[in-house]
């Protein structure tokens, strides 16, 4: 494909920084035809759709409905060889339900996974489109927090911690908007904790005054606008669970009255949301609009912030848990706490996520063995061979040490089903793997981890921690599942036979054979009856691949299946 310089007229709704109808000198690597731009735009949109909200039956149809509009937005950036800009109203504050849904008021591992997912999406766009992409998170916390009983101070703390997390984790393709981006009202040059809280009410007032509609008939909008209706139903669902401990039943509040009040609150959120949407559109007119809510797909791309099979796709409404196979799942904190195989992991001195206890490692035996280190893995008696062998390549890369829980914090105690001899075998294997083929200039073995002299990760150190070493391996595999794929296996069988004992009348009774059935029962009662051997399968061969289920049905009327 040949790229040549060109000048073109930018459309009226060109990307930010491009003056309408101004001449643009496109660099030589820019796309020079509409066809080429459309091809690239389709690739970009396909990547974004990989992160689409897909927990509903009609999700695919919904996200494809707005494809022409989304492509036209992306085309403006691609034609101008400009960075694709997206915006996402999200990350307001942690759920009001601290009893059974979330671990605290600050961002935890759930938010980290969500930000990483968004940043990865932008990185992937950069792989197919050199100018890349950037996403701006627009927090809507102050828009609704007072309706849900969330203090302004908690909203500030959540937002600041989220920004700090993005910087610390290197999520450089994520930006965050500020209050002054959305409404025009006097603010201090730099907002601090106190000035933020002092201006929270002013922000809501100016937002409604500048972008609200006094004559908005929200009931009519719910009845006639599909997007508004879907958002309303979503609000009602989470409000019923979020506010149950803020406004408990009893003392004159019945369940019926509670649900009626929830409906009212949901409508108030829609009224404010209408003004907020107007502010977002005015402040980010050319950005590709993303949304965490289910929608018709015609005006915004609904995305999932967590790569999870459950219905919990927004990190501020749930907790996350790391399974033994490296998969992250999401659910309420209460559900995870009921699982005796899970324990809480602390980061920065506060609870962050759940993970399988050490004794669950035996679930990762055999199926995850790797041929590349089979000889080393045979030193184990089977408990953790799968985990270590799967991560042999991983331990040769720099990693971040998994932070241990502070001693002054309490959590579910770690339970291990490995005895001392088994731990010694894993430690011996750790030394084998950690130093296999990794030497310095002098030919001496060196630790391959990022903190190469860290005593917790150095198998030759007296302070070596088996727990930290194994957790680090699990962290490597979970952060890059494409590189470290989980092992799968099928089942093959040959000359498989199966038989049972019964009588011909056992299978299907008819009017004619009922007397025979009675006669057979009488013979058994006097000890003369014997069941007949019935061959079900004989010399059966087959192959069942990973993910497949095999059902063997008998002849019609025989009522036999395997």
């Amino acid at each position: 494909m040949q790229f040549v310089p060109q000048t073109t007229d930018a459309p009226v709704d060109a990307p930010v920084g491009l003056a309408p109808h101004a001449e643009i000198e496109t660099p030589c690597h820019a796309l020079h035809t509409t066809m080429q731009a459309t091809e690239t735009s389709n690739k970009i949109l396909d990547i974004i759709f990989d992160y689409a909200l897909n927990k509903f039956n009609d999700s695919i149809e919904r996200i494809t409905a707005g494809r022409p509009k989304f492509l036209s937005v992306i085309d403006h950036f691609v034609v101008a060889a400009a960075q694709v800009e997206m915006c996402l109203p999200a990350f307001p504050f942690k759920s009001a339900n601290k009893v059974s849904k979330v671990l605290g008021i600050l961002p935890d591992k759930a938010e980290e996974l969500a930000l990483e997912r968004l940043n990865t999406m932008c990185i992937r766009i950069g792989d197919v489109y050199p100018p890349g992409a950037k996403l701006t998170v627009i927090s809507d916390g102050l828009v609704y927090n007072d309706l849900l009983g969330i203090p302004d101070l908690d909203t500030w703390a959540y937002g600041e911690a989220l920004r700090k997390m993005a910087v610390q984790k290197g999520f450089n393709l994520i930006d965050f908007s500020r209050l002054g981006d959305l409404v025009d009202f006097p603010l201090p040059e730099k907002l601090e904790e106190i000035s933020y809280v002092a201006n929270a009410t002013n922000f809501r007032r100016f937002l409604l005054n500048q972008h609200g509609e006094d004559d908005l008939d929200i009931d009519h909008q719910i009845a006639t606008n599909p997007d508004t209706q879907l958002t309303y139903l979503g609000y009602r669902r989470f409000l019923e669970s979020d506010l149950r401990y803020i406004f408990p039943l009893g003392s004159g509040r019945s369940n019926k009255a509670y649900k009626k009040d929830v409906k009212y609150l949901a409508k108030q959120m829609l009224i404010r949301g209408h003004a907020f949407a107007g502010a977002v559109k005015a402040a980010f007119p050319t950005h590709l609009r993303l949304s965490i809510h289910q929608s018709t797909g015609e005006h915004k791309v609904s995305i999932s912030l967590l790569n999870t099979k459950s219905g919990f796709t927004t990190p501020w409404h749930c907790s996350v848990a790391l399974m033994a196979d490296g998969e992250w799942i999401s659910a309420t904190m209460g559900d995870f706490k009921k699982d005796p195989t899970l324990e809480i992991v602390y980061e920065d001195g506060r609870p962050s996520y759940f993970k399988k206890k050490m004794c669950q490692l035996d679930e990762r035996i055999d199926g995850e063995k790797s041929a590349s280190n089979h000889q080393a893995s045979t030193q184990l008696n089977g408990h953790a061979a799968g985990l270590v062998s799967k991560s042999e390549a991983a331990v040769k890369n720099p990693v971040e040490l998994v932070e241990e829980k502070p001693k002054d914090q309490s959590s579910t105690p770690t339970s291990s089903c490995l005895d001392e001899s088994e731990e010694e075998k894993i430690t011996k294997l750790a030394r084998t793997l950690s130093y296999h083929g990794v030497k310095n200039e002098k030919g001496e073995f060196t630790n391959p981890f990022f903190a190469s002299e860290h005593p917790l990760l150095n198998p030759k150190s007296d302070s070596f921690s088996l727990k930290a070493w194994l957790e680090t391996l699990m962290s490597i595999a979970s952060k890059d599942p494409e590189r470290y794929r989980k092992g799968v296996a099928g089942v093959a069988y040959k000359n498989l036979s199966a038989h049972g004992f019964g009588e011909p009348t056992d299978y299907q009774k008819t009017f004619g054979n009922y007397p025979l059935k009675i006669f057979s029962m009488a013979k058994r009662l006097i000890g003369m009856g014997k069941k007949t051997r019935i061959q079900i399968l004989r010399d059966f061969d087959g192959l069942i691949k990973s993910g497949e289920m095999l059902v063997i049905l008998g002849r019609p009327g025989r009522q036999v299946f395997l």
Side-chain angles (χ1 to χ4, degrees):
M1 183 182 295
Q2 182 180 2
F3 299 99
V4 296
Q6 80 165 37
T7 59
T8 183
D9 288 336
V12 175
D13 54 348
V16 175
L18 302 178
H21 304 296
E23 283 195 346
I24 305 170
E25 292 189 1
T26 307
C28 63
H29 62 272
L31 303 175
H32 69 284
T33 68
T34 303
M35 183 177 297
Q36 292 168 340
T38 301
E39 180 182 353
T40 301
S41 297
N42 272 289
K43 291 180 181 178
I44 294 172
L45 189 57
D46 286 341
I47 291 174
I48 296 173
F49 279 178
D50 284 345
Y51 299 82
L53 190 65
N54 58 3
K55 61 182 180 180
F56 302 99
N57 294 333
D58 58 349
S59 295
I60 297 179
E61 291 80 3
R62 289 184 183 276
I63 63 176
T64 56
R67 190 177 190 94
K69 176 178 178 177
F70 303 145
L71 285 175
S72 68
V73 175
I74 298 173
D75 277 345
H76 291 327
F77 296 102
V78 175
V79 168
Q83 186 180 55
V84 175
E85 296 177 323
M86 300 173 284
C87 66
L88 172 67
F91 298 95
F93 39 72
K94 276 294 191 182
S95 167
N97 184 352
K98 309 298 190 299
V99 177
S100 64
K101 290 188 74 173
V102 295
L103 290 167
I105 68 169
L106 296 178
D108 51 37
K109 181 63 74 172
E111 275 80 5
E112 179 185 335
L113 293 175
L115 290 178
E116 182 179 33
R117 180 173 166 85
L118 295 173
N119 196 70
T120 301
M121 178 179 69
C122 293
I123 291 174
R124 289 183 58 196
I125 292 174
D127 291 339
V128 301
Y129 176 62
K134 179 161 275 193
L135 185 144
T136 299
V137 172
I138 309 169
S139 174
D140 50 358
L142 277 185
V143 181
Y144 311 113
N145 67 306
D146 59 324
L147 293 176
L148 279 63
I150 304 293
D152 296 333
L153 188 59
D154 287 359
T155 306
W156 160 267
Y158 179 85
E160 287 300 295
L162 197 69
R163 289 170 169 82
K164 182 179 179 181
M165 175 185 287
V167 173
Q168 289 179 338
K169 300 298 180 180
F171 302 144
N172 301 320
L173 299 178
I174 306 294
D175 274 345
F176 296 88
S177 71
R178 289 290 184 178
L179 300 185
D181 297 333
L182 299 175
V183 292
D184 183 16
F185 76 109
L187 283 170
E189 184 175 343
K190 183 179 180 182
L191 277 178
E192 300 291 350
E193 187 177 46
I194 295 178
S195 55
Y196 176 92
V197 172
N199 281 281
T201 301
N202 292 334
F203 169 77
R204 288 187 282 266
R205 178 166 58 87
F206 274 87
L207 177 70
L208 290 171
N209 289 341
Q210 293 178 10
H211 299 283
E213 296 182 21
D214 294 335
D215 58 348
L216 178 65
D217 187 345
I218 199 63
D219 290 312
H220 178 73
Q221 288 291 320
I222 294 172
T224 60
N225 188 319
D227 270 341
T228 304
Q229 184 182 68
L230 289 170
T231 303
Y232 171 66
L233 294 175
Y235 281 166
R236 283 178 53 184
R237 280 194 298 270
F238 90 78
L239 284 174
E240 284 192 15
S241 61
D242 271 25
L243 302 181
R244 191 162 293 276
Y245 296 97
I246 304 295
F247 305 106
L249 302 181
S251 301
R253 182 181 292 115
S254 65
N255 188 57
K256 182 177 180 181
Y258 174 73
K259 290 186 176 182
K260 181 179 179 181
D261 290 339
V262 164
K263 291 180 182 179
Y264 177 79
L265 270 179
K267 291 178 181 179
Q268 293 302 309
M269 290 183 66
L270 284 176
I271 293 172
R272 294 192 185 185
H274 181 79
F276 179 67
V280 170
K281 187 175 182 180
F284 304 92
T286 62
H287 285 54
L288 180 64
R289 177 76 152 78
L290 308 183
S291 174
I292 55 101
H293 297 292
Q294 183 188 16
S295 69
T296 60
E298 297 177 5
H299 308 291
K300 51 192 176 183
V301 183
S302 297
I303 64 169
S304 176
L305 295 182
L306 295 174
N307 183 21
T308 177
K309 297 175 183 177
S310 75
F312 295 95
T313 57
T314 48
W316 53 92
H317 281 142
C318 65
S319 299
V320 294
L322 179 61
M323 298 292 97
D325 62 357
E327 179 185 8
W328 288 97
I329 63 173
S330 62
T332 63
M333 173 191 65
D335 287 340
F336 285 144
K337 280 190 171 182
K338 293 176 184 176
D339 189 340
T341 69
L342 296 176
E343 63 180 345
I344 296 178
V345 176
Y346 284 69
E347 293 182 316
D348 298 326
R350 61 179 186 267
S352 180
Y353 63 98
F354 294 82
K355 74 174 180 64
K356 282 287 184 182
K357 295 178 181 178
M358 288 288 289
C359 64
Q360 301 304 312
L361 291 176
D362 57 0
E363 296 178 1
R364 306 183 63 179
I365 315 173
D366 300 335
E368 297 181 7
K369 284 185 177 180
S370 169
S372 62
N373 64 345
H374 177 71
Q375 183 176 0
S377 67
T378 55
Q379 297 177 52
L380 296 176
N381 64 359
H383 267 77
L387 171 64
V388 179
S389 61
K390 176 181 178 182
S391 305
E392 180 181 10
V395 300
K396 297 179 182 178
N397 294 301
V399 296
E400 177 183 354
L401 175 62
V402 178
E403 183 174 355
E404 292 188 306
K405 178 181 76 63
K407 293 182 179 180
D408 60 341
Q409 299 289 339
S410 60
S411 70
T412 307
T414 302
S415 172
S416 175
C417 58
L418 302 177
D419 58 33
E420 292 184 4
S421 63
E422 291 170 331
E423 289 195 9
E424 177 58 30
K425 290 177 181 178
I426 298 178
T427 301
K428 185 177 179 180
L429 180 58
R431 294 191 177 107
T432 302
L433 294 180
S434 296
Y435 292 92
H436 179 67
V438 182
K439 298 181 180 180
N440 59 19
E441 297 81 4
K442 299 179 180 180
E444 300 171 341
F445 289 113
T446 59
N447 196 309
F449 292 97
F450 180 75
S452 59
E453 299 302 323
H454 200 296
L456 292 178
L457 291 182
N458 188 343
K460 290 191 174 181
S461 168
D462 293 337
S463 301
F464 174 71
S465 169
L466 173 63
K467 180 175 182 291
W469 192 81
L470 291 175
E471 284 182 339
T472 304
L473 296 184
M474 293 176 65
S475 176
I476 296 169
S478 65
K479 287 183 177 181
D480 196 353
E482 292 297 322
R483 182 176 180 183
Y484 309 113
R485 298 178 182 273
K486 293 182 288 185
V488 296
V491 176
Y493 52 91
K494 189 174 183 179
N495 298 328
L496 176 66
S497 299
H499 66 268
F501 292 91
E503 297 177 357
T505 56
D506 288 341
Y507 303 117
Q508 185 170 356
K509 297 179 178 60
T510 65
F511 180 79
N513 65 22
Y514 260 109
L516 296 176
K517 178 66 176 179
I518 296 173
F519 179 69
S520 298
M521 292 174 62
K523 288 177 63 178
R524 285 202 302 272
L525 288 174
I526 62 176
M528 296 179 61
K530 292 185 179 180
K531 288 190 175 283
T532 304
R533 172 171 169 148
I534 301 172
Q535 195 72 31
I536 302 172
L537 298 178
R538 180 180 288 110
D539 297 334
F540 205 67
D541 300 341
L543 171 66
I544 307 173
K545 296 181 179 179
S546 173
E548 294 181 343
M549 177 185 295
L550 176 65
V551 178
I552 303 175
L553 301 175
R555 297 196 301 272
R558 304 290 277 182
Q559 300 181 358
V560 176
F561 68 89
L562 292 176

Coordinates of all heavy atoms in Angstrom, one line a residue, residues 146-182:
D146 N -25.0 12.0 46.0 CA -25.9 12.4 47.1 C -27.2 11.7 47.1 O -27.9 11.5 48.2 CB -26.2 13.9 47.1 CG -26.8 14.4 45.8 OD1 -26.5 13.8 44.7 OD2 -27.7 15.3 45.8
L147 N -27.7 11.2 45.9 CA -28.9 10.5 45.8 C -28.8 9.1 46.5 O -29.7 8.5 46.9 CB -29.4 10.3 44.4 CG -29.8 11.6 43.6 CD1 -30.1 11.2 42.2 CD2 -31.0 12.2 44.3
L148 N -27.5 8.6 46.5 CA -27.3 7.2 47.0 C -26.7 7.2 48.3 O -26.3 6.1 48.8 CB -26.4 6.5 46.0 CG -27.1 5.8 44.7 CD1 -27.7 6.9 43.8 CD2 -26.1 5.0 44.0
G149 N -26.6 8.4 49.0 CA -26.0 8.4 50.3 C -24.5 8.3 50.4 O -24.0 7.9 51.4
I150 N -23.8 8.6 49.3 CA -22.4 8.5 49.2 C -21.8 9.9 49.5 O -22.1 10.9 48.8 CB -21.8 8.0 47.9 CG1 -22.4 6.7 47.5 CG2 -20.3 8.0 47.8 CD1 -22.0 5.6 48.3
P151 N -21.0 10.1 50.6 CA -20.4 11.4 50.9 C -19.6 11.9 49.7 O -18.9 11.2 49.0 CB -19.6 11.1 52.1 CG -20.1 9.9 52.7 CD -20.6 9.0 51.5
D152 N -19.5 13.2 49.6 CA -18.7 13.9 48.6 C -17.2 13.5 48.8 O -16.4 13.4 47.9 CB -18.9 15.4 48.6 CG -20.3 15.8 48.2 OD1 -20.9 15.1 47.5 OD2 -20.7 16.9 48.7
L153 N -16.9 13.4 50.1 CA -15.5 13.1 50.5 C -15.1 11.7 50.0 O -13.9 11.5 49.5 CB -15.3 13.2 52.0 CG -13.9 13.1 52.5 CD1 -13.0 14.2 52.0 CD2 -13.9 13.1 54.1
D154 N -16.0 10.8 50.1 CA -15.7 9.4 49.5 C -15.5 9.4 48.0 O -14.7 8.7 47.5 CB -16.8 8.4 49.9 CG -16.8 8.1 51.4 OD1 -15.9 8.6 52.1 OD2 -17.7 7.3 51.9
T155 N -16.3 10.2 47.4 CA -16.3 10.4 45.9 C -14.9 10.9 45.5 O -14.3 10.5 44.5 CB -17.4 11.2 45.4 OG1 -18.6 10.7 45.8 CG2 -17.4 11.3 43.9
W156 N -14.4 11.9 46.2 CA -13.1 12.5 46.0 C -12.0 11.5 46.2 O -11.1 11.3 45.3 CB -12.9 13.7 46.9 CG -11.4 14.1 47.1 CD1 -10.6 13.7 48.0 CD2 -10.7 15.0 46.2 NE1 -9.3 14.2 47.8 CE2 -9.4 15.0 46.7 CE3 -11.0 15.7 45.1 CZ2 -8.4 15.8 46.2 CZ3 -10.0 16.4 44.5 CH2 -8.7 16.5 45.0
A157 N -12.1 10.7 47.3 CA -11.0 9.8 47.6 C -11.0 8.7 46.6 O -9.9 8.2 46.2 CB -11.3 9.1 49.0
Y158 N -12.1 8.2 46.1 CA -12.2 7.2 45.0 C -11.5 7.7 43.8 O -10.7 7.0 43.1 CB -13.6 6.8 44.8 CG -13.8 5.7 43.7 CD1 -13.7 4.4 44.0 CD2 -14.1 6.1 42.4 CE1 -13.9 3.4 43.1 CE2 -14.3 5.1 41.4 CZ -14.2 3.8 41.8 OH -14.4 2.8 40.8
G159 N -11.9 8.9 43.3 CA -11.4 9.4 42.1 C -9.9 9.7 42.1 O -9.1 9.4 41.2
E160 N -9.4 10.2 43.3 CA -7.9 10.4 43.4 C -7.2 9.1 43.4 O -6.1 9.0 42.8 CB -7.7 11.2 44.7 CG -8.1 12.7 44.6 CD -7.3 13.4 43.4 OE1 -6.1 13.6 43.5 OE2 -8.0 13.8 42.5
A161 N -7.7 8.1 44.1 CA -7.0 6.8 44.2 C -7.0 6.2 42.8 O -6.0 5.5 42.5 CB -7.7 5.9 45.2
L162 N -8.0 6.4 42.0 CA -8.1 5.8 40.7 C -7.0 6.4 39.8 O -6.4 5.7 39.0 CB -9.5 6.0 40.1 CG -9.9 5.2 38.9 CD1 -10.1 3.7 39.4 CD2 -11.2 5.7 38.3
R163 N -6.9 7.7 39.9 CA -5.8 8.4 39.1 C -4.4 7.9 39.5 O -3.6 7.7 38.6 CB -6.0 9.9 39.2 CG -7.2 10.5 38.5 CD -7.4 11.9 38.9 NE -8.4 12.6 38.1 CZ -9.7 12.5 38.3 NH1 -10.2 11.8 39.3 NH2 -10.6 13.1 37.5
K164 N -4.2 7.8 40.8 CA -2.9 7.3 41.3 C -2.7 5.9 40.8 O -1.5 5.6 40.4 CB -2.9 7.4 42.8 CG -1.6 7.0 43.4 CD -1.7 7.1 44.9 CE -0.4 6.7 45.6 NZ -0.4 6.8 47.1
M165 N -3.7 5.1 40.8 CA -3.5 3.7 40.3 C -3.1 3.7 38.8 O -2.2 2.9 38.4 CB -4.8 2.9 40.5 CG -4.8 1.5 40.0 SD -6.4 0.7 40.1 CE -6.5 0.4 41.9
A166 N -3.8 4.5 38.0 CA -3.4 4.5 36.6 C -2.0 4.9 36.3 O -1.3 4.4 35.5 CB -4.4 5.5 35.9
V167 N -1.5 5.8 37.1 CA -0.1 6.3 37.0 C 0.9 5.2 37.4 O 1.8 4.9 36.8 CB 0.2 7.6 37.8 CG1 1.6 7.9 37.8 CG2 -0.7 8.7 37.2
Q168 N 0.6 4.6 38.6 CA 1.5 3.6 39.2 C 1.6 2.3 38.3 O 2.6 1.7 38.1 CB 1.0 3.2 40.6 CG 1.2 4.3 41.6 CD 0.7 3.8 43.0 OE1 -0.1 2.9 43.1 NE2 1.2 4.5 44.0
K169 N 0.4 2.0 37.6 CA 0.4 0.8 36.8 C 0.8 1.0 35.4 O 0.9 0.1 34.6 CB -1.0 0.1 36.9 CG -1.5 -0.3 38.2 CD -0.6 -1.3 38.9 CE -1.0 -1.7 40.3 NZ -0.2 -2.8 40.9
G170 N 1.1 2.3 35.0 CA 1.5 2.6 33.7 C 0.4 2.6 32.6 O 0.7 2.3 31.5
F171 N -0.8 2.9 33.0 CA -1.9 2.9 32.1 C -1.9 4.3 31.4 O -2.7 5.1 31.6 CB -3.2 2.6 32.8 CG -3.3 1.3 33.5 CD1 -4.0 1.2 34.7 CD2 -2.6 0.2 32.9 CE1 -4.0 -0.1 35.3 CE2 -2.7 -1.0 33.6 CZ -3.4 -1.2 34.8
N172 N -0.9 4.5 30.5 CA -0.7 5.8 30.0 C -1.7 6.3 28.9 O -1.7 7.4 28.5 CB 0.7 5.8 29.3 CG 1.8 5.5 30.4 OD1 1.7 5.9 31.5 ND2 2.8 4.7 30.0
L173 N -2.5 5.3 28.4 CA -3.5 5.7 27.4 C -4.9 6.0 28.0 O -5.8 6.1 27.2 CB -3.6 4.6 26.4 CG -2.2 4.3 25.6 CD1 -2.4 3.1 24.7 CD2 -1.8 5.5 24.9
I174 N -4.9 6.1 29.3 CA -6.2 6.5 30.0 C -6.0 7.9 30.6 O -5.1 8.2 31.3 CB -6.5 5.5 31.1 CG1 -6.5 4.1 30.6 CG2 -7.8 5.9 31.8 CD1 -7.6 3.8 29.6
D175 N -6.9 8.8 30.2 CA -7.0 10.1 30.8 C -8.2 10.2 31.7 O -9.2 9.4 31.6 CB -7.1 11.2 29.7 CG -5.7 11.6 29.2 OD1 -4.7 11.3 29.8 OD2 -5.6 12.2 28.1
F176 N -8.2 11.3 32.5 CA -9.4 11.5 33.4 C -9.8 13.0 33.2 O -9.0 13.9 33.2 CB -9.1 11.3 34.8 CG -8.7 9.8 35.1 CD1 -7.4 9.3 35.0 CD2 -9.7 8.9 35.5 CE1 -7.1 8.0 35.2 CE2 -9.4 7.6 35.7 CZ -8.1 7.1 35.6
S177 N -11.1 13.2 33.1 CA -11.6 14.6 33.0 C -11.7 15.2 34.4 O -11.7 14.5 35.4 CB -13.0 14.6 32.3 OG -14.0 14.0 33.1
R178 N -11.9 16.5 34.4 CA -12.1 17.2 35.7 C -13.4 18.0 35.6 O -14.1 18.1 34.6 CB -10.9 18.2 35.9 CG -9.6 17.6 36.2 CD -9.7 17.0 37.6 NE -8.4 16.4 38.0 CZ -8.1 15.8 39.2 NH1 -9.1 15.8 40.1 NH2 -7.0 15.4 39.5
L179 N -13.8 18.5 36.8 CA -15.1 19.2 36.8 C -15.2 20.3 35.8 O -16.3 20.5 35.2 CB -15.4 19.7 38.3 CG -15.4 18.7 39.4 CD1 -15.8 19.3 40.7 CD2 -16.4 17.6 39.1
G180 N -14.2 21.1 35.7 CA -14.2 22.2 34.8 C -14.3 21.9 33.4 O -14.6 22.8 32.6
D181 N -14.1 20.6 33.0 CA -14.3 20.2 31.6 C -15.7 20.1 31.2 O -16.1 20.2 30.0 CB -13.6 18.8 31.4 CG -12.1 18.9 31.6 OD1 -11.5 19.9 31.4 OD2 -11.5 17.8 31.9
L182 N -16.6 20.0 32.2 CA -18.0 19.7 31.9 C -18.9 20.9 32.1 O -19.9 21.0 31.4 CB -18.5 18.5 32.8 CG -17.8 17.2 32.7 CD1 -18.3 16.2 33.7 CD2 -18.0 16.6 31.2

